[in-house]
Each structure stands twice: as structure tokens, then as C-alpha cells.
Amino acid sequence: LSARVAAVLRRSPEERTESDGSVRFQEIRIHPGRHEVHVDDESVVLTHTEFRILHFLASRPGWVFTRNQIVRAVHGDDYPVTGRSVDVQVASLRKKLGPAARHVSTVRGVGYKLGE
């Protein structure tokens, strides 16, 4: 059993929770307590919504989330926003991430994911 668990952990995507509570994915480091994002040790200034979208996607790298799932996770169930507003926020997030934006993938007809 322990060998199987070790094998699964070796194959899992490069998402790590650091001792200070930050989440690391490739060159992106997200610190939710300080509301900071760093790409290759350079600070990236994000809006509150962009930050929450990135943190949500980083919570499960490789998983595909629909626009509605992202809206519910970021704003809650009763927030009056369309799924298309997520497209605008993700486009802005990609611009701010620079070269690291390649990790935010669009899955056509479904939504977005972080990874690959």
C-alpha cells in the first residue's frame, strides 16, 4: 500500500503547499494569506477576482472547471454574473502572468484548468 501511495504522489502534478501556506505550481507561487502572487520571484499585481480564480485553479492542477464552477467558487451562489465574465478575467490574468500564462489552459466547450 505504501509503495502505491508513493507512486501516485510521484505522478501527481507539480503542485505543492509550502510550509508558509503558499501554493506553488511550476514557477507560480501564490500566497493566499498575504494576497500575493510571484512568477519567477517577481511580484504580479492581480485584482481580487483574478487572484481568487488563480488560487482556485491552483487548488487542483490538471482538473477542468466550468465557468459556472469558477463563478461559484470565487463569488458564491448568489452572485449575479455571467460565465462569460470569467473569460474576461482569465484573459486579464493571462496578460499579467506573462510567460507563465501558458499554464492556464482553455478546454474548449468546457472551461479552464491550470496545468500542461
Side-chain angles (χ1 to χ4, degrees):
L1 178 63
S2 64
R4 282 188 168 180
V5 170
V8 169
L9 290 175
R10 275 194 311 270
R11 289 189 303 262
S12 67
E14 275 191 56
E15 184 269 328
R16 294 185 182 94
T17 301
E18 304 288 324
S19 61
D20 63 354
S22 63
V23 177
R24 181 178 291 276
F25 180 83
Q26 303 281 348
E27 67 270 20
I28 302 170
R29 184 174 178 184
I30 305 162
H31 195 293
R34 291 187 287 201
H35 203 274
E36 293 178 346
V37 174
H38 289 78
V39 176
D40 288 330
D41 296 325
E42 293 206 18
S43 182
V44 178
V45 178
L46 300 177
T47 66
H48 180 70
T49 303
E50 292 165 347
F51 180 86
R52 295 204 50 199
I53 289 172
L54 181 62
H55 187 253
F56 177 66
L57 294 175
S59 69
R60 299 245 167 137
W63 285 45
V64 179
F65 295 99
T66 66
R67 290 169 180 83
N68 289 333
Q69 287 174 318
I70 293 171
V71 168
R72 277 195 306 267
V74 171
H75 297 293
D77 289 329
D78 298 329
Y79 196 79
V81 68
T82 65
R84 290 294 174 195
S85 65
V86 173
D87 298 340
V88 174
Q89 294 294 325
V90 169
S92 177
L93 175 63
R94 284 177 172 154
K95 284 181 189 176
K96 293 177 181 181
L97 289 177
R102 71 183 183 280
H103 299 300
V104 181
S105 304
T106 302
V107 178
R108 190 172 176 187
V110 182
Y112 297 99
K113 69 177 181 173
L114 185 70
E116 298 154 31

